[in-house]
Amino acid sequence: MGYTEVKFIELNGLEIKTTLTDEEKSIDDHISSFFTPTDDYGTKVIGFDVEWPVEYKDSTDYLFKRANFQLCDGNSCLIICLPFSSDVVPKSLHNFLRMPNYTFVGIGIKDNLAFLEKEHGIVFRNAVELGPLAASLMKMPHLRYCGVDELAFEVCKLDLRKYRPSRLAFNWGKYYINKELVKHATVNVYSYHKIGSALLRPAPVPQMPCY
């Protein structure tokens, strides 16, 4: 039996709708909501993160990992409880992650990308690690090693630390994830979206003088 729950998380004066689901229709519907063009016609930035809460060994002693897959476009977030089998990952998710005009951004994503491909057959067309990108574009080498809160402040002057739950038991292995854990995930992927959007925003086109 499938599971879908919607929570509303207040962040930075906004109410972010976060959907937690393992149902294909809910995943399809939410991904469709991400298909809105950007105002500046640049790449659309999606914050991305993943947690690996559950391990499972099959009869051959092969170790599988089930992922909680998180996406955010700045208006809403989607947390997908992926199945153990890559055969039942929704086609809409596979297609979305391969779209050429979308860039998925996060922190510490290199290993996540490798695991997602190995365990679930999920491949990204455009995925960017935020620390090195910020360090390069802003010419501040130390940003390569910063966490999400430091990057959000340096890049966006955005401080979301007060929205993080002060006490949090990290147990993503529970099927029904509590609101505090959902809030923590939402803060992270929303921050990734804001940082990535600021860094990847197209440069303004200079105005040519009229004679």
Side-chain angles (χ1 to χ4, degrees):
M1 184 175 180
Y3 171 74
T4 295
E5 185 175 359
V6 176
K7 298 181 184 293
F8 292 90
I9 310 295
E10 183 182 346
L11 289 180
N12 198 32
L14 301 173
E15 190 174 60
I16 305 298
K17 176 184 176 182
T18 296
T19 300
L20 172 67
T21 186
D22 66 355
E23 295 183 309
E24 185 170 357
K25 185 179 186 307
S26 295
I27 294 169
D28 292 348
D29 290 345
H30 202 119
I31 286 176
S32 294
S33 75
F34 290 149
F35 295 153
T36 55
T38 59
D39 294 336
D40 51 23
Y41 303 101
T43 184
K44 181 156 185 181
V45 175
I46 303 291
F48 155 72
D49 202 3
V50 64
E51 300 287 344
W52 302 91
V54 179
E55 295 184 346
Y56 166 76
K57 288 187 177 182
D58 66 7
S59 58
T60 64
D61 210 37
Y62 182 80
L63 184 65
F64 292 89
K65 291 187 176 184
R66 176 172 180 166
N68 281 316
F69 193 96
Q70 305 154 26
L71 300 168
C72 183
D73 71 344
N75 298 308
S76 66
C77 297
L78 175 63
I79 300 177
I80 303 171
C81 302
L82 289 175
F84 286 114
S85 172
S86 61
D87 296 336
V88 288
V89 173
K91 186 176 181 180
S92 61
L93 180 60
H94 283 294
N95 292 339
F96 180 53
L97 300 177
R98 292 184 172 97
M99 294 184 70
N101 55 335
Y102 284 74
T103 299
F104 298 86
V105 299
I107 294 177
I109 65 175
K110 182 178 179 181
D111 289 340
N112 284 334
L113 297 178
F115 272 122
L116 284 168
E117 183 173 4
K118 177 182 177 182
E119 304 293 347
H120 297 282
I122 291 174
V123 177
F124 290 72
R125 178 163 181 163
N126 300 310
V128 176
E129 181 74 44
L130 287 171
L133 178 66
S136 174
L137 293 179
M138 299 178 69
K139 303 188 186 310
M140 299 170 66
H142 73 280
L143 295 181
R144 175 181 294 269
Y145 309 105
C146 285
V148 57
D149 291 327
E150 294 84 358
L151 274 182
F153 187 77
E154 289 287 351
V155 175
C156 310
K157 297 297 182 275
L158 184 65
D159 187 354
L160 296 179
R161 289 174 295 179
K162 66 181 179 180
Y163 296 102
R164 293 185 184 280
S166 57
R167 294 183 179 180
L168 187 63
F170 284 88
N171 188 359
W172 283 98
K174 286 187 176 181
Y175 191 74
Y176 297 99
I177 300 172
N178 65 47
K179 185 172 182 177
E180 294 302 287
L181 200 52
V182 171
K183 185 175 183 179
H184 177 82
T186 301
V187 172
N188 280 346
V189 286
Y190 175 82
S191 298
Y192 298 159
H193 163 78
K194 297 296 287 185
I195 297 165
S197 295
L199 293 172
L200 295 171
R201 183 182 300 119
V205 178
Q207 297 294 317
M208 300 299 293
C210 296
Y211 298 101

